[in-house]
Amino acid sequence: MVIRRYNPIAMLSSSVFTPFPRQQFYRCPFPIFTQSLQPFPSLLSSTLPRHFTLSFYSNTAQTSTADTPDELHHQPSNSKQSPLKPGLYLVGTPIGNLEDITLRALRVLKSADVILSEDTRHSGKLLHYYNIKTPLLSYHKFNESQRAQVVLRKLQDGEIVALISDAGTPCISDPGMELAKLCADKNIPVVPIPGPSAVVTALSASGLPTNEFSFVGFLPKHNSSRKERLILSANESATQIFFIPPHKLSQFLEEAAAIFGESRQCVMAREMTKVHEEFWRGTIDKAKEAFLAHQPKGEITFLIEGKTTSTDEGPSESQLENELRELIAEGHSLSMAVKLVASGKLMKRKAIYSLALRKFGGQLESEDD
């Protein structure tokens, strides 16, 4: 033990306090209370300070190179960590809050030879926050096909390549699916590094059924394809999850109200894990009232409850005819119109197809002529 800071303590007898050579022992500050000095009444006299700062040196073997006790305490054990093997690592990154990243993800990003990034400027903020110096290489939907062969050569040369998106898990409504498929075909390891996902984050806090759900992602831009996808979703019993750009929310709500019905429950989740995180809950009709007047900002994940099972009788022939006529007028083929109308209904597709042929078969033949 070595006494530090207060000169009066240095006057104590060396037979009581024998200092050890500093260079042979590991230093670790340790708090001392005045009760421990009770055997030495002279220390507690009024002429000396009642509180002391002491430093102890232990001869216990230490191999840590940490500079501070805090760094020592938080230093993860490397006993079970082995060097990364060459391959493509799909690394999940935060969807908003930079603290939402795993220790394993950080280790992979630091160990990789190169990081493929959807937006290097955006990803650079994350790497700077965690002091990661690995070089970035842009990889997005506009250069995905050109970059694929370059990345493939790096992987075949034994490099470690990490792929990240702007937010969340790569390949899920983000670039990377084709690269992962290419690597799998070439027997190159594809290693998932789990992390945040807007889909699961929104679903878990939505209050809608989580036992079954369908992730639709971004809807098609073409009107007929988008309506076709919404019709299929409206007839599913599972919770439906969409990614909606803020400037397209009004259009989405109008179409969803017409296809799902205005009374269907829905949840609008935006800016998740960020300062202005918001979960709005209500019917599609109420959502129209809330958001048609003003456009919310930030990334939007929109959830709609699944269709409830009904014991009512099937739709009437006139209802089916009207649905078929509308879809055919939009350019759908007779078979696709039948498929869309039959989806989610208790009637057999064969019966609806017979109705379609009876009502519209002659019309389509005349158009072909």
Side-chain angles (χ1 to χ4, degrees):
M1 179 178 67
V2 174
I3 299 91
R4 299 172 59 86
R5 184 172 296 182
Y6 290 108
N7 290 333
I9 303 302
M11 299 170 60
L12 294 174
S13 170
S14 60
S15 63
V16 178
F17 297 96
T18 303
F20 295 102
R22 295 169 63 101
Q23 65 274 18
Q24 297 180 7
F25 300 92
Y26 178 76
R27 181 184 176 190
C28 182
F30 187 83
I32 288 295
F33 301 95
T34 55
Q35 287 86 340
S36 63
L37 298 176
Q38 292 295 340
F40 309 100
S42 61
L43 288 177
L44 302 179
S45 65
S46 58
T47 59
L48 294 177
R50 296 184 62 86
H51 301 281
F52 308 92
T53 299
L54 307 180
S55 296
F56 287 84
Y57 294 85
S58 169
N59 60 355
T60 304
Q62 299 286 346
T63 58
S64 172
T65 59
D67 294 329
T68 66
D70 286 340
E71 292 176 356
L72 175 67
H73 178 73
H74 295 291
Q75 182 71 24
S77 172
N78 294 323
S79 59
K80 295 184 179 180
Q81 294 181 357
S82 57
L84 297 181
K85 298 179 180 179
L88 176 65
Y89 289 76
L90 308 178
V91 183
T93 54
I95 61 176
N97 192 317
L98 292 181
E99 295 179 357
D100 295 335
I101 191 168
T102 66
L103 296 176
R104 187 181 178 207
L106 292 176
R107 184 167 73 95
V108 170
L109 293 178
K110 290 179 180 180
S111 304
D113 295 298
V114 65
I115 299 174
L116 305 181
S117 168
E118 190 175 0
D119 184 341
T120 55
R121 291 173 298 178
H122 179 85
S123 300
K125 298 176 182 178
L126 174 68
L127 301 189
H128 177 74
Y129 186 82
Y130 286 103
N131 195 30
I132 297 173
K133 307 297 184 181
T134 307
L136 286 166
L137 181 65
S138 65
Y139 185 86
H140 46 73
K141 63 181 180 180
F142 300 109
N143 70 356
E144 194 170 6
S145 57
Q146 294 89 341
R147 283 276 194 246
Q149 294 304 318
V150 175
V151 176
L152 183 62
R153 284 195 295 271
K154 289 179 176 293
L155 291 166
Q156 290 174 334
D157 289 340
E159 292 192 17
I160 299 170
V161 177
L163 172 63
I164 62 176
S165 65
D166 284 349
T169 302
C171 306
I172 308 299
S173 288
D174 276 319
M177 179 184 68
E178 293 299 328
L179 180 60
K181 182 178 183 301
L182 178 63
C183 290
D185 293 340
K186 298 290 185 179
N187 292 321
I188 296 174
V190 179
V191 185
I193 308 298
S197 168
V199 178
V200 177
T201 302
L203 180 64
S204 64
S206 67
L208 297 178
T210 60
N211 57 314
E212 186 180 4
F213 65 92
S214 292
F215 172 59
V216 181
F218 294 103
L219 288 164
K221 294 182 179 179
H222 194 270
N223 286 341
S224 61
S225 299
R226 186 170 62 252
K227 186 171 184 179
E228 178 182 324
R229 175 64 254 191
L230 288 173
I231 290 174
L232 291 175
S233 292
N235 289 310
E236 291 189 21
S237 60
T239 299
Q240 303 294 298
I241 306 177
F242 305 88
F243 285 163
I244 308 296
H247 65 279
K248 292 187 177 181
L249 181 60
S250 297
Q251 178 192 62
F252 172 78
L253 290 173
E254 291 285 4
E255 294 176 345
I259 296 174
F260 285 82
E262 295 185 335
S263 61
R264 195 82 72 95
Q265 291 291 319
C266 63
V267 176
M268 192 277 295
R270 71 177 190 91
E271 295 289 84
M272 289 183 293
T273 75
K274 299 181 182 179
V275 174
H276 301 292
E277 176 182 280
E278 177 186 9
F279 279 83
W280 185 95
R281 300 173 177 85
T283 62
I284 295 179
D285 183 42
K286 293 296 183 182
K288 287 174 58 180
E289 295 179 9
F291 301 114
L292 288 183
H294 74 281
Q295 176 182 304
K297 298 179 180 180
E299 300 296 329
I300 294 175
T301 304
F302 205 95
L303 304 91
I304 303 179
E305 71 170 339
K307 184 177 182 180
T308 56
T309 304
S310 175
T311 57
D312 297 339
E313 294 183 0
S316 64
E317 185 173 300
S318 61
Q319 288 175 316
L320 293 174
E321 182 180 344
N322 290 335
E323 290 186 40
L324 288 167
R325 180 180 291 107
E326 184 178 351
L327 291 169
I328 292 173
E330 292 179 353
H332 291 284
S333 66
L334 185 66
S335 59
M336 178 56 69
V338 170
K339 178 182 178 181
L340 293 173
V341 171
S343 176
K345 291 183 172 60
L346 299 178
M347 295 183 63
K348 292 183 178 181
R349 184 183 298 185
K350 185 177 181 180
I352 299 176
Y353 193 73
S354 297
L355 172 65
L357 288 176
R358 189 169 71 250
K359 296 291 183 179
F360 305 102
Q363 173 185 335
L364 295 176
E365 289 177 1
S366 62
E367 290 177 358
D368 293 338
D369 294 339

